[in-house]
């Protein structure tokens, strides 16, 4: 643990979100280090599956959800006075006076309604670090910083991928302009996502900081007795993750005379109906099992029972691709050889030929060839699995990445 304990505010768009385990891993590690963490969520996702680390670290109790207080202008003004007085050390009066409008005929940027809508997060501004995840959350913080609030806190924004849509970079450049003016540091999860962000703005420091996992949780248990060769896909059923391509590999395996295998598809999303139709149309029911969205604990179980992991991602119609794909590191941590495409940033988290195979995007024949090799070579699978776990422990474990994140925070403050 570090000697100095930090007060850190995490700003997220929704909480909890089943696909955002990387944020909860990061928060859990900071709590383990003794830092004081609070979560501020712009929306409450009531129906989400709760991962175990949300329960273990009681993260919902640390979360404040957006709640707009209904009040008159006089009540709002009174709240504003009390809030600024109690947070006077963390407040920039000069910025506030420049931006705030007290009367309707003024043309400043912010008014009492703005304060009213954000009172839920302005009650306590005593933070060393404000860390926003995703561009939209970063813009929300930028508005508060522009108005003079949280003036003592250093401001970090992490971009994850969908907030850097390649087909909308010209729009995002203008949209994120106020964020770029206020932010102290931006982080991304791969060289690919850094290249996208640099097209928007490259005057502020951008650091590559992958998202990580707890390798003690993602650890292989005793091997099961295998009747079928199990191929595992875990992810949202959306175009860029290419679950349909995973299905289209099956007839190629059958054509090679391989019949003793099963593909497990775990996830939900917009392609669910199309996937089910494809399975039925091509009589693949005996080769595929679709199990829907699952918890992190179930993912561990599925990976423990699998032989290989596959994610044949692509650039979708908007030019988007997977920027890291933490599930790829989770699979390697579970000693699974991984088969991925070279689209986007996935390839930066795999050692091609040692921990898995990086295959040209859309080359289904090569995916089938590599699956045939891995099915027939138990020794190769085990060697790749051992290499994969060692690689992830060294480069993607939450403690390793937590050391790097903590160092970033202290560098900003010093």
């Amino acid at each position: 643990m570090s000697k100095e304990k930090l007060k850190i505010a995490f700003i997220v768009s929704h909480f909890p979100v089943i696909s955002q385990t990387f944020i909860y891993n990061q928060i859990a590690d900071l709590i383990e280090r003794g830092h004081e963490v609070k979560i501020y969520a712009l929306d409450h996702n009531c129906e989400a599956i709760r991962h175990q680390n949300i329960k273990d670290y009681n993260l919902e109790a640390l979360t404040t959800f957006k709640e707009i207080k209904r009040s008159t202008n006089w009540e709002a003004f009174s709240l504003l006075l009390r809030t600024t007085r109690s947070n006077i050390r963390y407040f920039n009066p000069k910025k506030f006076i420049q931006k705030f409008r007290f009367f309707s005929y003024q043309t400043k940027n912010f008014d009492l309604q703005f304060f009213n809508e954000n009172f839920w997060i302005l009650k306590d501004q005593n933070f060393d670090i404000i860390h926003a995840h995703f561009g939209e959350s970063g813009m929300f913080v930028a508005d508060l910083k522009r108005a003079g609030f949280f003036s003592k806190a250093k401001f970090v924004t992490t971009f994850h991928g969908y907030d850097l849509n390649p087909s909308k970079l010209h729009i995002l450049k203008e949209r994120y302009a106020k964020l770029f003016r206020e932010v102290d540091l931006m982080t991304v999860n791969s060289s690919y996502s850094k290249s996208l962000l640099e097209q928007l703005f490259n005057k502020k420091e951008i650091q590559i900081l992958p998202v990580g996992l707890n390798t003690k949780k993602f650890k292989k248990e005793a091997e099961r007795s295998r009747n079928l060769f199990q191929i595992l896909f875990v992810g949202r059923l959306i175009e860029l993750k290419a679950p349909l391509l995973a299905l289209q590999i099956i007839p190629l395996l059958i054509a090679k005379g391989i019949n003793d295998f099963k593909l497990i598809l775990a996830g939900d999303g917009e392609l669910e109906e199309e996937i089910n139709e494809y399975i039925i149309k091509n009589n693949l029911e005996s080769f595929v099992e679709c199990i829907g969205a699952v918890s992190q604990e179930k993912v561990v179980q599925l990976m423990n029972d699998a032989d290989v992991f596959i994610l044949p991602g692509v650039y979708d119609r908007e030019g988007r691709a997977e920027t890291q794909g933490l599930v790829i590191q989770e699979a390697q941590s579970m000693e699974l050889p991984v088969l991925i495409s070279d689209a986007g940033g996935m390839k930066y988290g795999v050692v091609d030929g040692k921990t898995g195979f990086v295959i040209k995007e859309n080359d289904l024949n090569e995916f089938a060839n590599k699956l045939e090799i891995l099915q027939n070579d138990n020794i190769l699978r085990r060697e790749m699995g051992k290499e994969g776990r060692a690689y992830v422990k060294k480069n993607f474990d939450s403690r390793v990445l937590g050391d790097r994140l903590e160092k970033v925070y202290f560098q900003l403050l010093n």
Side-chain angles (χ1 to χ4, degrees), residues 259-302:
N259 295 290
D260 53 342
F261 71 91
K262 177 161 279 192
L263 170 65
I264 310 294
L265 283 176
D268 59 10
E270 60 198 42
L271 293 179
E272 194 167 344
E273 184 176 345
E274 189 174 349
I275 285 169
N276 289 328
E277 289 175 356
Y278 183 91
I279 292 170
I280 294 169
K281 182 180 178 180
N282 292 277
N283 300 313
L284 299 178
E285 292 92 337
S286 61
F287 294 100
V288 186
E289 184 177 352
C290 299
I291 62 175
V294 295
S295 68
Q296 192 176 59
E297 292 66 47
K298 180 63 175 178
V299 169
V300 172
Q301 181 185 329
L302 290 169

Side-chain angles (χ1 to χ4, degrees), residues 68-86:
I68 298 177
K69 186 176 178 61
R70 304 297 177 188
S71 57
T72 65
N73 277 350
W74 173 249
E75 289 170 333
F77 185 66
S78 178
L79 273 177
L80 174 61
L81 289 177
R82 293 202 302 271
T83 303
T84 52
R85 186 166 59 244
S86 62

Side-chain angles (χ1 to χ4, degrees), residues 220 223-233 246 249-250 253-254 256-265 286-289 302-310 335-339 357 366-382 384:
K220 192 171 188 64
E223 289 195 18
R224 62 176 177 83
S225 57
R226 290 177 169 84
N227 296 318
L228 292 174
F229 183 70
Q230 285 201 12
I231 306 164
L232 178 64
F233 172 102
I249 295 168
I250 293 176
L253 292 174
I254 295 171
K256 289 174 175 288
I258 303 171
N259 295 290
D260 53 342
F261 71 91
K262 177 161 279 192
L263 170 65
I264 310 294
L265 283 176
S286 61
F287 294 100
V288 186
E289 184 177 352
L302 290 169
M303 289 180 173
N304 196 67
D305 291 341
D307 293 287
V308 297
F309 179 85
I310 186 170
E335 301 184 29
L336 288 179
V338 297
L339 278 71
F357 294 109
E366 189 59 18
F367 271 100
N369 290 338
K370 290 297 191 286
L371 283 169
E372 182 180 24
I373 290 169
L374 287 168
Q375 185 193 32
N376 291 329
D377 196 334
N378 294 340
I379 295 174
L380 178 62
R381 287 205 310 273
R382 282 196 292 271
M384 281 190 157

Side-chain angles (χ1 to χ4, degrees), residues 48-289:
I49 295 173
R50 267 62 170 172
H51 293 304
Q52 191 61 42
N53 58 0
I54 292 177
K55 301 172 185 175
D56 289 344
Y57 293 90
N58 204 16
L59 297 189
E60 287 192 85
L62 300 178
T63 304
T64 300
F65 295 96
K66 182 175 182 178
E67 181 182 7
I68 298 177
K69 186 176 178 61
R70 304 297 177 188
S71 57
T72 65
N73 277 350
W74 173 249
E75 289 170 333
F77 185 66
S78 178
L79 273 177
L80 174 61
L81 289 177
R82 293 202 302 271
T83 303
T84 52
R85 186 166 59 244
S86 62
N87 290 279
I88 194 67
R89 292 175 55 199
Y90 322 109
F91 174 68
N92 187 324
K94 185 178 178 180
K95 264 191 174 184
F96 177 78
I97 292 169
Q98 287 175 342
K99 299 291 183 183
F100 205 83
R101 65 179 186 185
F102 291 93
F103 305 103
S104 59
Y105 59 80
Q106 291 179 303
T107 57
K108 302 293 183 183
N109 297 78
F110 306 109
D111 56 17
L112 287 173
Q113 182 180 351
F114 169 85
F115 174 78
N116 222 24
E117 291 175 352
N118 293 291
F119 175 70
W120 65 280
I121 195 173
L122 296 175
K123 300 173 190 177
D124 177 16
Q125 297 171 43
N126 178 17
F127 291 102
D128 300 298
I129 300 287
I130 296 183
H131 193 153
H133 277 274
F134 296 97
E136 289 296 319
S137 300
M139 290 201 303
F140 169 74
V141 175
D143 278 337
L144 299 177
K145 296 278 283 184
R146 288 175 71 203
F149 302 112
F150 298 103
S151 64
K152 300 298 183 184
K154 293 297 183 180
F155 174 25
V156 179
T157 296
T158 294
F159 290 84
H160 291 281
Y162 96 87
D163 44 8
L164 294 171
N165 189 325
S167 69
K168 298 179 180 178
L169 290 182
H170 60 295
I171 299 172
L172 294 177
K173 187 170 186 176
E174 182 178 347
R175 182 167 177 76
Y176 290 151
K178 61 184 177 183
L179 166 58
F180 297 146
R181 285 193 293 269
E182 298 295 333
V183 74
D184 295 298
L185 175 73
M186 293 177 283
T187 75
V188 291
N189 53 21
S190 70
S191 298
Y192 169 66
S193 43
K194 183 179 182 183
S195 70
L196 294 175
L197 186 54
E198 285 177 336
Q199 292 179 57
L200 302 179
F201 196 80
N202 59 10
K203 294 180 182 178
K204 292 262 185 177
E205 187 178 2
I206 302 170
Q207 288 198 20
I208 298 175
L209 186 68
V211 293
L213 66 150
N214 184 344
T215 56
K216 291 181 181 178
K217 285 188 176 181
F218 282 87
K219 184 177 182 181
K220 192 171 188 64
E221 300 297 334
E223 289 195 18
R224 62 176 177 83
S225 57
R226 290 177 169 84
N227 296 318
L228 292 174
F229 183 70
Q230 285 201 12
I231 306 164
L232 178 64
F233 172 102
V234 178
R236 290 278 294 154
L237 304 182
I238 56 177
E239 184 184 359
L240 68 83
K241 294 182 185 289
L244 278 167
L245 290 189
L247 288 176
Q248 290 166 17
I249 295 168
I250 293 176
L252 300 177
L253 292 174
I254 295 171
K256 289 174 175 288
I258 303 171
N259 295 290
D260 53 342
F261 71 91
K262 177 161 279 192
L263 170 65
I264 310 294
L265 283 176
D268 59 10
E270 60 198 42
L271 293 179
E272 194 167 344
E273 184 176 345
E274 189 174 349
I275 285 169
N276 289 328
E277 289 175 356
Y278 183 91
I279 292 170
I280 294 169
K281 182 180 178 180
N282 292 277
N283 300 313
L284 299 178
E285 292 92 337
S286 61
F287 294 100
V288 186
E289 184 177 352

Side-chain angles (χ1 to χ4, degrees), residues 28-41:
D29 178 72
L30 289 167
I31 292 171
E32 287 278 353
R33 293 168 187 268
H35 300 301
E36 182 181 337
V37 180
K38 291 186 179 180
I39 305 167
Y40 293 90

